[in-house]
Amino acid sequence: QVQLVESGGGLVQTGGSLKLTCAASGRITSINAMGWYRQAPGKQREMVARITRGGSTNYADSVTGRFTISRGNAGNTVSLQMDGLRPEDTAVYFCNVQTGVLSVRTYWGQGTQVTVSS
């Protein structure tokens, strides 16, 4: 089994910063992508940012320029630096890990709450 442990969520005021970190462990062969998704109350889950093994990154339009995703040197951790937070960023943030190429598997963390107050 692959386990994802998330940390870094919390309560912050508008304009503040938070850094989320996700560590993957367990039966892992090859991680080809890691990312963060979020789900606000009453809304569907959306992709926030992701990074591939090759270092390519993708960001949601709403966070581009404010959030930065990065992978640890060991390759089994991913962080999301969130700056200039807004109330619209309030959501549960989930770590996502994709393994394999020919046979792709996706794993999810339990989620960490991020709340941005006005």
Side-chain angles (χ1 to χ4, degrees), residues 25-106:
S25 63
R27 191 175 59 184
I28 302 174
T29 55
S30 179
I31 298 176
N32 56 51
M34 304 182 77
W36 292 92
Y37 289 67
R38 68 186 181 189
Q39 186 167 25
K43 295 187 176 182
Q44 61 187 28
R45 187 174 298 184
E46 65 174 347
M47 188 274 291
V48 178
R50 69 196 306 269
I51 184 168
T52 68
R53 180 192 299 177
S56 298
T57 58
N58 295 92
Y59 296 94
D61 290 341
S62 60
V63 307
T64 297
R66 299 187 296 119
F67 292 9
T68 303
I69 189 169
S70 61
R71 292 185 66 177
N73 188 53
N76 67 324
T77 60
V78 61
S79 296
L80 183 69
Q81 177 65 48
M82 304 184 294
D83 298 317
L85 285 164
R86 307 165 180 171
E88 310 93 88
D89 296 318
T90 296
V92 177
Y93 284 69
F94 298 89
C95 179
N96 174 271
V97 174
Q98 186 179 83
T99 64
V101 178
L102 298 179
S103 182
V104 177
R105 289 186 175 274
T106 300

